[in-house]
Amino acid sequence: MNIENKITSLERGSSLWNDAWVRLKKNKAAVTSLFILGFIISICFVVPIIGSLSAPEDDNIRAAEHWFKNYETQNLAQTFQSSSSKHWLGSDQTGRDIFARILYGGQISILVGVIATFISVTIGVIYGAIAGYKGGKIDSLMMRIVDIFFGLPSLVLIILFSIVISEKSKKLATILKGWEWNESLISTIVNIMPLCAAIGALGWFTMARIVRAQVISTKSLEFVEAARSLGLSHSCILFKHILPNILGSIIVYTSLTIPGFILTEAALSFLGLGVQAPTPSWGILLSESANYMETQPQLLLIPAVLFSITLLALNFLGDGLSDALDPKASKD
């Protein structure tokens, strides 16, 4: 046996991420949830695109014959229709296609959850990392600010902050119209951006605490001391050496934050304080169908079931990532 064969016969090393993937694949609930999420995201984002590209230019023909309807098109002559070739899941109280509204509503709810989580994680990671790395009085002051915000009613703050930002978003809508952007796209941006900014800007406190604790426990390790002895800057040590080593904890909490923010959006929209019509979301669909739950229960059940499955899948996936990225399990 030559040297090359001996080298290839040796057991290959495995990184933390490879070990985590192996453990995640053993978690049947997490893997199943991953496939379910992939399917839901695909139908919510891909199917409307395919439907729009294949739709005829004549709106009347599309409303009558095309398989994918416009979620805004109303037809009072076809209210509360049952499932058929024209309306796959039936129609609502104004004759709008339920299938199209559920898919577009899923887009909005998922986008709000993801964008708000991105904002929240970005602020929380930077804030918590600086507090944990600096320590001392700076750390104490920064954490007392977090404690103050924790004592305030977050839902009320989100509502107030969203109202303030929505006034600014009207100026953005005027600018986008001047650039000849699509009216529907402008309406969607103006509707969801204030809510995303409000939820994300007021939802980073727990992330900051988690990152701070991880940074405090990591900054005293040998590789950090070695980086300091080499004369590296504090920002380089923090963002290039410490944060990559706590990325697992950040990913786990991020996966658990998304369903929480989707639920917050749904609750606000259900109360009429979140996404505004005509832009649909799962919260709006639940709010509109609640008035007909006794006579037309399918209007409530279909979006409620899809909404619940999405939240459960995200939570199961988050639990699976938590187990897979646990450093104590790396030797299992």
Side-chain angles (χ1 to χ4, degrees):
M1 183 180 293
N2 55 34
I3 297 176
E4 292 182 358
N5 290 335
K6 289 182 180 179
I7 293 175
T8 55
S9 65
L10 294 175
E11 183 179 357
R12 294 182 180 274
S14 181
S15 67
L16 172 64
W17 299 106
N18 288 333
D19 291 341
W21 174 242
V22 171
R23 287 195 295 273
L24 181 64
K25 289 192 294 185
K26 295 179 181 179
N27 190 325
K28 295 181 180 180
V31 173
T32 303
S33 298
L34 186 61
F35 279 108
I36 291 174
L37 283 174
F39 175 74
I40 291 174
I41 292 172
S42 296
I43 62 172
C44 285
F45 286 88
V46 176
V47 172
I49 294 175
I50 297 174
S52 298
L53 293 176
S54 62
E57 296 182 359
D58 191 329
D59 291 337
N60 293 325
I61 297 176
R62 177 177 181 177
E65 301 178 1
H66 192 56
W67 64 272
F68 192 79
K69 314 296 183 185
N70 189 315
Y71 69 90
E72 295 178 301
T73 302
Q74 300 183 11
N75 187 348
L76 297 179
Q78 295 186 1
T79 59
F80 299 124
Q81 294 289 309
S82 58
S83 300
S84 64
S85 58
K86 291 184 178 181
H87 300 283
W88 289 5
L89 296 178
S91 61
D92 64 5
Q93 65 275 11
T94 59
R96 295 172 296 188
D97 186 71
I98 297 176
F99 179 65
R101 288 182 62 77
I102 287 176
L103 296 191
Y104 276 105
Q107 285 186 16
I108 299 302
S109 294
I110 293 171
L111 282 175
V112 169
V114 172
I115 295 173
T117 299
F118 175 79
I119 296 172
S120 170
V121 169
T122 301
I123 298 173
V125 167
I126 295 175
Y127 192 94
I130 293 174
Y133 186 78
K134 288 294 185 180
K137 294 181 179 179
I138 295 178
D139 177 32
S140 298
L141 176 62
M142 295 177 72
M143 286 300 103
R144 295 299 76 75
I145 294 174
V146 171
D147 292 338
I148 291 173
F149 277 109
F150 260 119
L152 299 176
S154 58
L155 196 60
V156 175
L157 290 178
I158 290 173
I159 294 171
L160 294 177
F161 193 30
S162 178
I163 293 173
V164 172
I165 298 177
S166 63
E167 295 298 324
K168 304 292 183 182
S169 66
K170 294 178 182 178
K171 297 180 180 179
L172 175 62
T174 304
I175 296 173
L176 295 179
K177 287 179 181 178
W179 292 351
E180 298 183 353
W181 280 41
N182 181 275
E183 289 286 341
S184 179
L185 180 60
I186 294 174
S187 175
T188 301
I189 293 174
V190 172
N191 252 320
I192 71 172
M193 288 311 297
L195 190 60
C196 292
I199 295 175
L202 296 170
W204 54 269
F205 311 123
T206 303
M207 174 61 78
R209 283 184 166 181
I210 292 173
V211 172
R212 170 185 173 270
Q214 292 290 323
V215 169
I216 289 175
S217 62
T218 304
K219 69 178 183 179
S220 59
L221 298 179
E222 290 81 0
F223 74 92
V224 178
E225 296 295 334
R228 289 197 185 99
S229 65
L230 292 174
L232 298 181
S233 64
H234 293 299
S235 60
C236 180
I237 294 173
L238 179 58
F239 292 102
K240 290 187 177 182
H241 293 273
I242 295 179
L243 285 184
N245 280 275
I246 64 172
L247 192 58
S249 300
I250 296 173
I251 292 174
V252 169
Y253 185 71
T254 299
S255 66
L256 296 173
T257 301
I258 295 176
F261 284 171
I262 292 177
L263 189 60
T264 300
E265 178 276 324
L268 291 173
S269 297
F270 187 87
L271 297 173
L273 301 170
V275 178
Q276 300 298 316
T279 304
S281 75
W282 282 337
I284 287 181
L285 295 179
L286 295 175
S287 177
E288 291 179 347
S289 59
N291 297 324
Y292 306 95
M293 60 184 301
E294 294 183 358
T295 57
Q296 302 291 333
Q298 75 279 3
L299 294 181
L300 180 65
L301 288 177
I302 297 174
V305 168
L306 191 59
F307 178 64
S308 301
I309 290 174
T310 303
L311 293 185
L312 285 173
L314 284 167
N315 280 296
F316 279 124
L317 180 60
D319 290 340
L321 288 173
S322 178
D323 295 336
L325 292 171
D326 183 5
K328 296 179 181 179
S330 60
K331 299 297 182 181
D332 293 347

